[in-house]
Each structure stands twice: as C-alpha cells, then as structure tokens.
Amino acid sequence: MTSTLLVTGGAGYIGSHTCIELLQEGHQVVVLDNLSNSSPEALHRVEAITSKAPIFIEGDIRNPALVRDILARYNPEHIIHFAGLKAVGESVKKPLDYYANNVSGTLVLCQEMAAHGLFNLVFSSSATVYGDPASLPIRENFPRSATNPYGRSKLMVERMLEDLYLSDPRWNIAILRYFNPAGAHPSGLVGEDPADIPNNLVPYISQVATGRREKLQVFGNDWSTADGTGVRDYIHVVDLARGHLCALRQLSQGCGLKAWNLGLGRGYSVLEVVSAFEKASGQTIPYQFVDRRPGDIAACWADPASSQKDLQWSAEKGIEEMMADAWRWQSTNPDGYSRLSGPERLRKLDR
Ligand code: NAD
Ligand code: UDP
C-alpha cells in the first residue's frame, strides 16, 4: 500500500537514499530540510534516478507553525525523522546546538504530530546509545549510555519517545539504531557529501583516494582487536534505506514502540576497510597510525536477529559493494554536490 510520508532531513545522506526507495515503491514524499548539512542537488538526483520528484520544503523542524502547516497541507500517514546534527566532536564543542536540534526538534515534531492526530513515527537513532558494550554482538535490550552530547541527545530522544508511548498507546514508534552507514547509491548519482573534513572513516578514505586528503590517520593500533585497529559494523546505505520501508509496515500494523538494530551483524577493522577500499578502487590508500580518538571504543557490531525476524529485513550488500559504491560516487563527484547546487531549489511552499 502506498502512502504520503513526511521525511525530515530528506536531503541528507541517509534521507536521500531513503527517498529513492520510497519513491520507487510508489509513495508520495514530502521532504522538510533546512539544508544545514545538505544540498538541494541531492533531491534533483533523487528525481533523476526515480523519475519522480519529492515535494521539497526548505525549513526547520523547530518551527512549529511550519510543521503544523505541512501536516495540514499534506496529511502524511507517517513521518520518517532524520533531521538532526550528527558530528560527535562538534557536539562536544556546541552541546546546545545538539540538544536544540536533536531533542527540541523532535519535541516540536511530536507535539505537532499529536495535535494533528498523527501517531506514526520512524526515528533515526544510533548504535552510539549502547556506549561501550560489555559483550558483542549487541542486542536491542542491552544497557544504554552515552559518552558525548550527540549520543546523549539520541538517548534523551529515545527516552522521551518511550515516555510518550507510555502516556498514549495510539503512538507507533520505530526506533532504528543504525550501526555504521557506508557506501552510496549504485548509480553513483547520490552519496555522502560531508560539508567539512570528514569525521567518518569511509568518506575520509574516499577523499584520500581522489587526492583531496593526503593520508588517512588510523586512530590507534593498540585496541584489543585482531589487528589492533577499531572494529565496526558497516552497513550499506541502500540496505539501511530499505530497513525504513520495512519499519513502515510495522507502524501500519500497530507495532507500538519498538527499537531495532540495523547492521550487517559482523565487524570489520579499520585496516580491513582500507584493504577492501583499495581492492574496489584500485587506488592505494596511504595511512599512518596516530593516537586513539577520545571517546572511541574498540569494537561494536549488531545482533540483527530481531530486525530479521520482526522487520523481515536483512542487509544484502557486503563490504565489497559498499566500497565499490563509495568509490563510484566519490570518483565521479570529487567535490560532492557543491559545483552543481547553486541557487537552484526544488519546488517549495510559497511562504
Ligand atoms: P545528514 O547530515 O546527511 O542529514 C541530516 C539532514 O537533516 C541534513 O540534510 C540537514 O540539512 C537536515 N537538518 C538538520 N537539522 C535540521 C533541522 N533542525 N530542521 C530541518 N532539517 C535539518 O546526516 P545522515 O547521515 O543522513 O543522518 C540522518 C540521521 O541519522 C541523523 O539523525 C543522524 O544522527 C542519524 N544517524 C546517522 C549515522 C551516520 O553515521 N550517518 C549513524 C547513526 C545515526
Ligand atoms: N577512524 C580512523 N580514522 C578516521 C576516522 C575513523 O581510524 O579518520 C576509525 C575510528 O577510530 C573507528 C572507525 O574508524 O574505529 C569508524 O569510525 P567512524 O567515525 O566512521 O564511526 P564511529 O566512530 O561513529 O563508529
């Protein structure tokens, strides 16, 4: 069954890939994004791939009148809520920005949803809410903690949503805890476009491969892992996007509040990722070992059993495909969307 959805943060990395999957399934997509970390060009590319245009509204989720207006105008059946800030290091320097965007933004959204009588929400959470896990793989019922303002903002929203559900069982809330999204759309048209120096491993390696950065700094080779470098569960962004469509089906069936891990279910070390990227790209990635990054953990990977069972979802694309798609995107768009974005805007509400 197709429906109308509001996708907050839909011009961003994961949001744009999710819009592609939604449009290809025949849904009508309304994107609300303030473009603080994205370009409208991403949505032009979404349209180029799907031959369908999402409706785009440039604006902030913290603007209650705007959210109210959009809900009244489009009457969506579900909201997929990606909008937020996501850089751990920046969150330490600007904690209030993170609480304002991630916590207050979600608060405004939920207030306006309730006032409109809309109770179906998919929320982008993160494996960061598991802190430094006592054992692996990580299951959804593991204890939660956070070591930085970004992680705390995600945890605070999770707790807020739990309280909300307890107060009113009409809510259906899918909390999706992403592990490490990587890769790009196989077309090479849509991918990750960090505004600044990339914080994350795969976009950093991609920029080293095109010569934009000199070498990768590997944060620590003395972790208690097989080769001493950090281990993470990388998941292809298209698999991740598909997970949202599976979550929507759960909302439609009245799932209540549920949290699901979205990960591959196995870990790769930094050196294994470097080697997979080199193989996929034919490029050599120079690197040097440096000190551990504050706040990092040795290893983290998901137990995806609940998502497989409840959502009928599992990741289909392995590390080779993630790296090949990341390279296709980066090598054909070495400057990301920047050269093409300009003042162009997709259709906007006349406000
Ligand atoms: P992104 O920065 O590419 O996308 C977020 C989008 O939200 C951007 O387009 C940005 O312009 C928009 N936005 C930010 N604040 C807004 C506001 N107040 N109002 C309207 N729009 C706003 O990030 P992403 O990687 O696509 O992440 C999407 C979500 O997934 C985020 O909530 C993030 O915390 C979460 N997440 C991401 C990762 C990851 O590694 N990428 C991992 C776990 C969780
Ligand atoms: N990492 C690294 N160099 C970088 C970026 C990341 O060695 O320039 C390592 C990091 O220490 C971690 C892994 O790569 O072990 C994944 O880091 P990322 O920031 O992508 O994800 P997260 O830390 O959020 O899991």
Side-chain angles (χ1 to χ4, degrees), residues 50-332:
T50 61
S51 305
K52 288 173 194 157
I55 294 164
F56 175 56
I57 297 135
E58 185 177 342
D60 202 292
I61 52 164
R62 288 166 293 174
N63 178 345
L66 175 64
V67 174
R68 199 172 309 143
D69 189 36
I70 293 168
L71 296 184
R73 195 149 172 171
Y74 296 102
N75 202 21
E77 280 135 273
H78 309 275
I79 294 189
I80 306 184
H81 176 34
F82 294 106
L85 303 179
K86 63 166 182 175
V88 172
E90 185 188 56
S91 80
V92 176
K93 293 190 188 107
K94 300 178 178 174
L96 297 185
D97 286 2
Y98 277 69
Y99 293 120
N101 254 283
N102 297 1
V103 182
S104 303
T106 309
L107 178 72
V108 169
L109 200 64
C110 290
Q111 282 173 329
E112 293 307 324
M113 287 176 74
H116 185 75
L118 170 60
F119 298 99
N120 291 335
L121 178 71
V122 180
F123 172 64
S124 296
S125 191
S126 165
T128 192
V129 301
Y130 296 116
D132 193 353
S135 66
L136 293 164
I138 298 171
R139 286 192 302 277
E140 286 84 351
N141 60 2
F142 272 27
R144 286 170 290 167
S145 65
T147 54
N148 56 65
Y150 168 68
R152 260 187 291 282
S153 74
K154 290 290 174 192
L155 198 44
M156 285 164 83
V157 171
E158 286 203 3
R159 300 228 190 270
M160 181 172 83
L161 295 175
E162 285 158 7
D163 287 339
L164 183 60
Y165 174 63
L166 283 178
S167 75
D168 186 343
R170 283 177 298 175
W171 282 92
N172 293 297
I173 301 174
I175 294 175
L176 301 182
R177 298 186 184 135
Y178 312 152
F179 280 67
N180 288 61
H185 193 265
S187 63
L189 288 172
V190 173
E192 189 165 10
D193 183 20
D196 219 330
I197 300 173
N199 295 301
N200 295 116
L201 180 65
V202 177
Y204 202 101
I205 294 177
S206 306
Q207 293 195 3
V208 172
T210 57
R212 197 161 150 193
R213 314 260 161 225
E214 192 195 336
K215 60 183 158 201
L216 172 71
Q217 299 198 314
V218 178
F219 299 142
N221 61 348
D222 56 353
W223 296 101
S224 56
T225 59
D227 65 17
T229 66
V231 169
R232 297 289 184 276
D233 182 336
Y234 297 89
I235 168 153
H236 197 295
V237 65
V238 172
D239 277 332
L240 193 62
R242 285 194 306 102
H244 293 74
L245 277 75
C246 299
L248 289 178
R249 281 196 283 279
Q250 290 296 309
L251 298 186
S252 301
Q253 288 165 20
C255 64
L257 180 137
K258 282 273 181 66
W260 286 286
N261 287 339
L262 294 184
L264 200 59
R266 64 157 290 183
Y268 290 92
S269 73
V270 174
L271 295 184
E272 285 175 318
V273 173
V274 168
S275 160
F277 193 95
E278 288 184 332
K279 205 165 154 208
S281 65
Q283 307 292 308
T284 301
I285 306 297
Y287 64 84
Q288 67 174 146
F289 294 118
V290 298
D291 287 347
R292 292 178 178 191
R293 184 170 62 179
D296 267 0
I297 56 172
C300 166
W301 67 89
D303 180 343
S306 289
S307 334
Q308 285 167 359
K309 181 167 160 283
D310 301 345
L311 301 179
Q312 308 274 296
W313 170 91
S314 59
E316 289 169 1
K317 294 167 184 273
I319 194 86
E320 299 78 15
E321 226 169 322
M322 288 180 228
M323 298 305 132
D325 290 338
W327 172 238
R328 187 177 304 105
W329 156 252
Q330 189 70 45
S331 55
T332 50

